[in-house]
Amino acid sequence: MVSGKRVLVTGGAGFIGSHLCERLVSEGHDVLCVDNYFTGSKGNVAHLFNNPHFELMRHDVTFPLYIETDEIYNLACPASPIHYQFDPVQTTKTSVYGAINMLGLSRRVRAKIFQASTSEIYGDPQVHPQQESYWGHCNPIGPRACYDEGKRCAETLFFDYRRQHNVSIKVARIFNTYGPHMHPTDGRVVSNFIVQALRNKPVTIYGDGSQTRSFCYIDDLIEAFLRIMNTDDEFIGPVNIGNPEEFTIQELADTVITLVGSKSKIILKPLPDDDPVQRRPDITIARDILDWEPKIQLLEGLKKTITYFEGRLSKS
Ligand code: NAD
Ligand code: UDP
């Protein structure tokens, strides 16, 4: 990678964003991290404060931003269902106005722009595993729609800015990712199970635990982000990024309890509306074009994440 670019990361104080900022700074780039701290925190990037290549700005991406930059990674958006459903109108605004504002900035300063899209684009998929060519099966009026439809509209905007204004875009569809810097009360399944197991509290499976997900460790994801940004102008995506190993939620719960050595029992809770039944990425495009595939499998990634939460919970 050519070093010394000016890079803007929106949502940079969140789980994924903080790892991305760290990696970009370590490669010698000047990183501007923009966040409104809705689900992220300064603590996630505090270790970068003394680095002259790192800058932090409180800003809400639903409002325009006037800066100079060479590249933009647009990550701002709550990703956990409980958080994106807390203020669903704001979630849609963040995805849609955020995309318009960042694409406008990108057009003005001729910056390359990367969109953190999602496997939720596929909704509750009827095709398995999911390929990028699948148009999805989304409920446009359900509780997940603020996120799913917001992200779908953002993809539309990215492709229209490319067609209409020749903006240089890159769109990644991210599947469930986990690792250090997830918030203990984030609400997503990996952090919930680990925190519950470490506290010997009941591990909450929603539904009967037969639904599936495929879990990607954060370091693998960040490597893919950089490879995508460094592709030539012809490659715009969308490209699936995720770990194609698929697990039931029951298997995840059992694995976490065993790894932690926890006394926790599993309890069943109601399945949220529109919860996707199965999800697994087809990563053929990522393999072929980016020469990328995940290296860290679930057991190894869970162990690292458990170690992180042990440290974090011992401080609280
Ligand atoms: P996160 O909630 O930890 O991070 C999101 C960040 O965006 C937070 O720091 C939050 O404060 C910030 N933010 C929210 N609204 C904002 C606004 N209006 N203006 C400025 N900042 C705002 O979530 P994450 O897991 O790090 O997800 C990052 C991105 O990746 C999101 O766009 C998400 O949709 C996408 N994604 C994540 C996953 C995953 O499994 N983690 C999967 C698919 C897609
Ligand atoms: N889930 C669960 N218990 C929890 C949290 C989540 O069983 O404490 C389930 C949830 O219903 C879903 C899966 O785990 O089927 C993944 O949930 P998450 O919120 O992590 O992400 P999603 O893929 O649904 O956006």
Side-chain angles (χ1 to χ4, degrees):
M1 185 184 213
V2 183
S3 62
K5 286 183 212 145
R6 298 163 301 176
V7 186
L8 168 65
V9 180
T10 77
F15 158 51
I16 296 176
S18 56
H19 288 273
L20 179 61
C21 288
E22 188 177 310
R23 173 80 186 263
L24 291 167
V25 165
S26 78
E27 297 203 354
H29 300 293
D30 278 320
V31 174
L32 174 59
C33 168
V34 158
D35 208 293
N36 70 349
Y37 309 127
F38 175 50
T39 51
S41 68
K42 288 183 198 169
N44 279 341
V45 286
H47 58 296
L48 300 173
F49 286 171
N50 288 332
N51 192 312
H53 291 292
F54 181 75
E55 235 178 312
L56 179 61
M57 181 197 284
R58 182 193 292 265
H59 175 77
D60 183 328
V61 295
T62 62
F63 298 98
L65 179 66
Y66 297 96
I67 55 142
E68 304 301 317
T69 190
D70 302 310
E71 292 180 348
I72 304 170
Y73 288 86
N74 187 38
L75 273 60
C77 187
S80 158
I82 55 164
H83 288 134
Y84 70 63
Q85 290 170 25
F86 174 76
D87 185 349
V89 173
Q90 176 66 14
T91 299
T92 304
K93 282 185 186 171
T94 293
S95 275
V96 177
Y97 295 164
I100 291 170
N101 288 328
M102 289 311 123
L103 284 159
L105 170 63
S106 173
R107 183 183 173 204
R108 185 174 68 78
V109 301
R110 297 182 194 282
K112 220 192 288 185
I113 181 165
F114 170 103
Q115 168 67 353
S117 192
T118 167
S119 53
E120 286 284 327
I121 293 290
Y122 304 121
D124 188 6
Q126 311 285 287
V127 167
H128 194 72
Q130 292 79 55
Q131 293 181 333
E132 291 84 347
S133 54
Y134 178 49
W135 288 358
H137 179 243
C138 286
N139 175 0
I141 56 171
R144 297 176 84 101
C146 59
Y147 185 75
D148 300 7
E149 299 293 1
K151 288 283 188 178
R152 287 170 69 95
C153 184
E155 282 202 12
T156 306
L157 285 160
F158 268 71
F159 278 78
D160 281 337
Y161 266 78
R162 158 96 178 183
R163 282 186 286 258
Q164 202 175 329
H165 300 302
N166 206 24
V167 167
S168 176
I169 64 160
K170 311 278 177 196
V171 176
R173 291 183 179 155
I174 305 163
F175 285 63
N176 297 62
T177 300
Y178 68 99
H181 297 187
M182 292 184 95
H183 197 277
T185 61
D186 176 274
R188 281 177 279 188
V189 69
V190 174
S191 48
N192 266 12
F193 285 2
I194 292 177
V195 170
Q196 290 162 342
L198 285 171
R199 291 183 166 147
N200 293 309
K201 294 267 168 57
V203 168
T204 54
I205 288 186
Y206 303 159
D208 63 6
S210 62
Q211 71 271 37
T212 67
R213 294 292 187 274
S214 308
F215 300 100
C216 184
Y217 188 68
I218 183 70
D219 293 358
D220 283 328
L221 184 82
I222 299 298
E223 176 62 30
F225 278 20
L226 269 69
R227 289 188 188 206
I228 292 168
M229 193 57 120
N230 289 327
T231 52
D232 64 33
D233 219 28
E234 293 309 303
F235 183 72
I236 57 177
V239 55
N240 288 339
I241 300 297
N243 192 319
E245 260 203 282
E246 185 180 1
F247 297 89
T248 66
I249 296 303
Q250 175 77 51
E251 285 169 332
L252 179 72
D254 293 338
T255 308
V256 168
I257 290 171
T258 305
L259 287 179
V260 169
S262 172
K263 298 191 185 71
S264 293
K265 298 276 175 272
I266 288 174
I267 58 166
L268 302 185
K269 293 208 157 188
L271 190 67
D273 284 346
D274 296 342
D275 200 278
V277 174
Q278 54 182 1
R279 186 183 284 159
R280 171 156 62 100
D282 180 320
I283 60 164
T284 308
I285 293 181
R287 279 200 177 104
D288 288 353
I289 310 253
L290 308 172
D291 191 22
W292 174 90
E293 62 180 4
K295 297 203 166 16
I296 300 171
Q297 298 313 328
L298 188 67
L299 282 188
E300 188 187 349
L302 283 178
K303 284 181 195 162
K304 290 171 189 269
T305 312
I306 289 167
T307 303
Y308 167 77
F309 276 111
E310 274 170 339
R312 179 138 184 188
L313 296 184
S314 69
K315 288 185 202 127
S316 59

